[in-house]
Amino acid sequence: MMTKRTRKKRWSYTTGEKGRNRVRVFQHESGLLMLEYRPGGKRKRFPGHRDRDRAKQRADEGAQLANPRQSDTGDGEEPRSASCLRCTGSG
């Protein structure tokens, strides 16, 4: 009898309120961490490192800076949190 192969659960961290300022960091199958947020559409971003503590801090900052009213203006500008999350410096 063959046993079923189980998939290893990958690490993830979610912060913010659902539908408002939700930011999620998760481990991609490549091992790198991806950051996901929705300022008007689903976006994924590689922070470019494997440091979970730094990724959690970046997600918390992005959720804290998100202003739902600002993201629904429809003026084509990204909300402040989106530009914050895009900054992926190595510091």
Side-chain angles (χ1 to χ4, degrees):
M1 182 178 193
M2 209 166 210
T3 59
K4 192 173 188 180
R5 186 174 176 188
T6 59
R7 194 180 283 194
K8 185 178 177 183
K9 186 173 180 178
R10 295 188 202 126
W11 178 85
S12 69
Y13 174 77
T14 306
T15 186
E17 295 179 40
K18 189 173 183 178
R20 297 189 71 182
N21 60 346
R22 176 69 47 102
V23 179
R24 184 171 78 106
V25 178
F26 62 97
Q27 187 174 14
H28 188 263
E29 59 190 28
S30 68
L32 292 176
L33 299 176
M34 291 186 81
L35 198 139
E36 178 182 75
Y37 57 99
R38 293 177 177 245
K42 191 171 187 176
R43 297 185 180 196
K44 293 183 181 180
R45 176 116 186 120
F46 280 102
H49 56 79
R50 297 170 193 245
D51 185 356
R52 292 179 182 179
D53 291 330
R54 197 168 86 196
K56 285 170 68 172
Q57 181 181 11
R58 184 151 303 164
D60 287 335
E61 290 170 359
Q64 191 174 35
L65 291 174
N67 184 346
R69 292 179 194 180
Q70 194 176 33
S71 65
D72 292 335
T73 58
D75 58 6
E77 291 185 26
E78 287 183 316
R80 189 171 168 202
S81 62
S83 59
C84 169
L85 295 172
R86 195 177 324 111
C87 302
T88 58
S90 60

